[in-house]
Amino acid sequence: MDTNKVIIAGKIKNELEFSHSIYGEAFYNTYIEISRLSDIKDVLPISVSERLIQGKKLKVGDYVSVEGQLRSYNKMINGNNKLVLLIFVKELELISSREEIENPNQIYLDGFICKSPSYRTTPFGREITDLLVAVNRPYNKSDYIPCIAWGRNARFCGNLKIGQHLNLWGRIQSREYQKKYPTGEIVNKVAYEVSISKMELLNEKEVQDQETV
């Protein structure tokens, strides 16, 4: 079973930009804009192989549906190690509009708590818990996915321990914020995280039962 599955549908926001090449296969990056029901737009980064877009003549404004995984990697930026997230595309299709997809922003993760959860309340009394979930993939690699839980899920997640096993469902959101540096410079930045809508905690017995089915 896939432990990391993303399905999104939206509009291409930027021209495709060459990223890198592995064993002669070129990869390109761009952003997909997805509208929420509230009309807020999430703008999410994707990485796609030239082999998936060959002959499609993708351009800004085109609507696409994408299946893939939310992956993380570390990148040195100004001497600091930064966790970078993007959607690694496995399938991509042109569509006439995002309305062709009933739910245009979905993610499922099967992973483990790898950092003590951080529970807090907003000035308006809304409960939030930040999680960092490690999701294993082949070749002894893992992706580290920032997640955020709300309300009763936030209260539940606030008591979780490092190493506990979770299944969770939700959507990927982009969030703009400002960072102030010691020099006084203020820089606008964007964070990506999974907003959890549903989750379940697995114990060792349940995992063993699943493996023997």
Side-chain angles (χ1 to χ4, degrees):
M1 183 178 178
D2 199 343
T3 58
N4 183 336
K5 185 172 183 178
V6 171
I7 300 175
I8 62 171
K11 182 170 61 176
I12 296 177
K13 184 73 172 173
N14 303 81
E15 296 286 351
L16 273 72
E17 180 179 335
F18 175 78
S19 171
H20 62 282
S21 182
I22 300 178
Y23 301 117
E25 182 178 4
F27 288 84
Y28 293 83
N29 292 348
T30 187
Y31 290 85
I32 303 295
E33 181 183 88
I34 307 167
S35 297
R36 302 185 201 173
L37 293 176
S38 60
D39 287 334
I40 294 174
K41 299 182 188 302
D42 292 300
V43 180
L44 306 179
I46 70 167
S47 176
V48 58
S49 164
E50 62 180 346
R51 298 174 187 177
L52 292 178
I53 57 178
Q54 191 170 15
K56 289 187 167 66
K57 298 181 180 179
L58 296 178
K59 61 184 183 299
V60 173
D62 283 345
Y63 283 90
V64 293
S65 66
V66 165
E67 292 189 22
Q69 295 180 328
L70 183 59
R71 292 189 176 178
S72 70
Y73 65 96
N74 291 313
K75 183 176 182 180
M76 292 297 294
I77 300 177
N78 298 325
N80 296 314
N81 201 17
K82 179 177 174 58
L83 185 72
V84 177
L85 298 178
L86 56 75
I87 296 167
F88 178 80
V89 178
K90 291 187 170 183
E91 300 289 342
L92 183 146
E93 296 295 336
L94 278 163
I95 57 176
S96 60
S97 72
R98 80 164 186 87
E99 280 71 26
E100 287 191 19
I101 307 296
E102 184 177 349
N103 185 347
N105 189 341
Q106 306 175 57
I107 184 168
Y108 163 77
L109 297 175
D110 177 344
F112 300 84
I113 301 293
C114 60
K115 183 180 179 181
S116 295
S118 175
Y119 171 87
R120 66 187 191 278
T121 57
T122 69
F124 299 101
R126 193 171 191 191
E127 296 172 292
I128 302 173
T129 294
D130 295 303
L131 304 170
L132 188 63
V133 177
V135 180
N136 296 327
R137 56 180 159 105
Y139 310 110
N140 294 319
K141 293 185 177 180
S142 297
D143 294 296
Y144 298 91
I145 312 297
C147 301
I148 187 165
W150 311 86
R152 69 178 186 279
N153 280 339
R155 292 194 298 273
F156 174 77
C157 290
N159 295 314
L160 295 178
K161 306 298 182 185
I162 292 174
Q164 288 189 283
H165 188 185
L166 290 174
N167 283 351
L168 59 87
W169 296 258
R171 61 176 173 79
I172 309 168
Q173 66 181 21
S174 59
R175 174 174 52 84
E176 296 183 358
Y177 69 99
Q178 291 186 326
K179 182 171 182 177
K180 186 174 182 179
Y181 289 91
T183 60
E185 180 186 11
I186 297 176
V187 178
N188 293 323
K189 292 181 172 288
V190 179
Y192 303 101
E193 58 204 3
V194 172
S195 179
I196 299 170
S197 59
K198 184 176 70 171
M199 62 186 302
E200 63 181 5
L201 180 64
L202 302 180
N203 60 38
E204 290 183 4
K205 180 179 183 304
E206 288 173 334
V207 173
Q208 291 169 359
D209 288 344
Q210 289 180 1
E211 291 175 346
T212 57
V213 171

